[in-house]
Amino acid sequence: MSAVALDLAALADLIKTWGRELGFQQTGIAGLDLARHEEHLERWLAAGFHGEMDYMAAHGSKRSRPAELVPGTLRVISLRMDYLPGDTRMSERLADGAAAYVSRYALGRDYHKLIRKRLQHLAERIQGEIGPFGYRAFVDSAPVLEKAIAEQAGLGWIGKNTLVLNRKAGSWFFLGELFVDVPLPVDEPTPRDHCGTCRACLDICPTQAFVGPYQLDARRCISYLTIEFKGSIPPELRPLIGNRVFGCDDCQLVCPWNRFAKPTAEGDFQPRHSLDSASLAELFRWTEAEFLSRTEGSPLRRAGYERWLRNLAVGLGNAPTSIPVVEALKLQREHPSPLVREHVEWALQRHAAS
């Protein structure tokens, strides 16, 4: 870092200006005290609410102690990028049992590379101002308590649905972090009292995955079941999943704060390959080659083709009985994957009984 005395407050203001110029809607600066969140994480893990996400229990205290993860870290710059892709009529699609519901965040391109590139540009601007300094960028890809950091940085508060909520932007946004060795002035944390007595998110959850305010049992969460979980979806939960084939937005769709969310101007977050209008049967007919081609650079790749078919089979099993639905299912009846075949048979039995 330059030997010239720094006006750290002025630098912090510059960083926030650069953040806006780089497409972030908000930038905040957090200290390193995440003790309260560390205790919450330990209780959550001890209860087994993380399911098969073993990575949540890995790395020990590094997850909640930034200076252990990146030695020399003094502050964390937390940034928010909105992703709401305009009016995709998602509530209407949820009500249409034949339609495939893909979580809004996954309708466009994968956010990881885009945000990481912007964070790198921000680091370069800081370096141009103060000279070489230590930093490391993260985008939902390392043991980082990003929501806790965002709360500490004043970007919002962790709501009852365990997502970060912002009074002016709701919760339709991604987070990115830049760990730095610069003692920037920190922003005031956001108080956690803006949810009040509201229980909309807790009550709407199709699988009742919330065991209480601020506590999610991921093992029942549709986002976990359709994205992270690799096995057979518990039969008792399948009917509750409805037509949600990748993720779930119910607790965001009903959140009163999301009426303040604004559509994104980022082209990469706009829907691709008609994912906001495709039917379950249409997507189920994708070959593996088509899946790989149409999900290139997409969050959908995380599930992989086998689990993509598993999820769609569940959706088709919950869809109104029709010739296109049953015919699509029969096409995969002899699929080489036992996982896919199991869910296809379950779905066909549902229609045979209807």
Side-chain angles (χ1 to χ4, degrees):
M1 192 181 299
S2 172
V4 177
L6 293 173
D7 182 339
L8 294 173
L11 177 60
D13 288 340
L14 276 175
I15 289 170
K16 293 171 183 179
T17 297
W18 293 332
R20 288 191 296 272
E21 292 174 355
L22 289 168
F24 294 99
Q25 281 65 54
Q26 190 177 4
T27 303
I29 299 167
L32 309 183
D33 183 8
L34 302 176
R36 175 170 64 85
H37 300 280
E38 181 177 18
E39 294 169 2
H40 178 83
L41 174 63
E42 290 174 351
R43 290 194 300 270
W44 186 73
L45 291 169
F49 291 155
H50 59 302
E52 292 185 356
M53 295 185 290
D54 294 336
Y55 58 84
M56 292 297 299
H59 307 289
S61 58
K62 287 183 178 180
R63 186 175 291 276
S64 53
R65 301 178 187 180
E68 289 186 16
L69 179 62
V70 182
T73 296
L74 297 177
R75 299 288 187 268
V76 180
I77 302 171
S78 179
L79 303 100
R80 181 193 107 219
M81 183 176 287
D82 300 348
Y83 68 77
L84 183 66
D87 182 14
T88 49
R89 303 185 305 281
M90 300 310 263
S91 294
E92 295 176 22
R93 291 189 62 72
L94 275 176
D96 179 357
Y101 187 93
V102 175
S103 181
R104 285 185 176 184
Y105 91 89
L107 292 174
R109 289 189 175 276
D110 196 321
Y111 60 95
H112 292 87
K113 290 183 179 179
L114 183 150
I115 296 180
R116 189 176 293 112
K117 186 175 181 179
R118 304 283 178 89
L119 291 174
Q120 179 61 35
H121 288 331
L122 177 60
E124 290 168 0
R125 292 198 184 188
I126 297 172
Q127 185 165 293
E129 184 72 17
I130 68 174
F133 74 105
Y135 70 91
R136 187 172 171 187
F138 295 100
V139 188
D140 191 25
S141 57
V144 174
L145 291 181
E146 60 176 8
K147 292 185 287 187
I149 290 169
E151 187 176 78
Q152 288 296 105
L155 268 60
W157 71 97
I158 298 176
K160 292 179 182 179
N161 62 1
T162 75
L163 300 175
V164 178
L165 304 178
N166 182 288
R167 296 181 73 175
K168 296 181 179 179
S171 60
W172 303 107
F173 52 81
F174 299 123
L175 295 169
E177 298 80 38
L178 198 63
F179 285 37
V180 300
D181 65 355
V182 184
L184 297 163
V186 299
D187 290 297
E188 284 293 320
T190 306
R192 189 189 262 194
D193 59 359
H194 299 299
C195 287
T197 60
C198 180
R199 298 182 41 90
C201 61
L202 308 180
D203 296 335
I204 198 66
C205 181
T207 55
Q208 294 300 291
F210 294 106
V211 296
Y214 315 105
Q215 293 197 65
L216 175 72
D217 183 348
R219 297 169 299 182
R220 297 185 64 86
C221 176
I222 294 175
S223 287
Y224 167 79
L225 291 169
T226 58
I227 302 174
E228 300 295 332
F229 184 56
K230 297 179 173 61
S232 172
I233 295 174
E236 68 273 16
L237 296 180
R238 294 176 194 175
L240 306 178
I241 289 174
N243 59 349
R244 302 165 185 82
V245 299
F246 191 90
C248 178
D249 294 325
D250 287 43
C251 65
Q252 297 191 83
L253 289 169
V254 299
C255 178
W257 291 108
N258 272 322
R259 67 181 182 271
F260 299 112
K262 299 177 179 61
T264 179
E266 289 289 342
D268 279 358
F269 298 157
Q270 301 306 315
R272 305 168 68 213
H273 301 298
S274 302
L275 287 173
D276 60 335
S277 60
S279 70
L280 292 161
E282 178 185 349
L283 297 181
F284 199 61
R285 290 176 179 272
W286 282 5
T287 65
E288 185 167 13
E290 288 172 327
F291 172 81
L292 293 174
S293 172
R294 294 170 183 175
T295 61
E296 185 175 1
S298 162
L300 298 178
R301 278 286 184 93
R302 185 168 181 84
Y305 185 59
E306 182 184 38
R307 283 184 279 156
W308 173 246
L309 291 179
R310 175 200 64 182
N311 298 345
L312 284 161
V314 171
L316 287 165
N318 293 325
T321 300
S322 69
I323 292 175
V325 165
V326 174
E327 286 184 346
L329 284 165
K330 287 181 176 179
L331 285 174
Q332 297 291 1
R333 202 168 198 170
E334 303 301 324
H335 193 279
S337 164
L339 182 69
V340 174
R341 291 200 306 272
E342 176 203 340
H343 289 76
V344 167
E345 284 303 320
W346 173 86
L348 286 170
Q349 289 172 17
R350 295 260 293 176
H351 289 291
S354 64

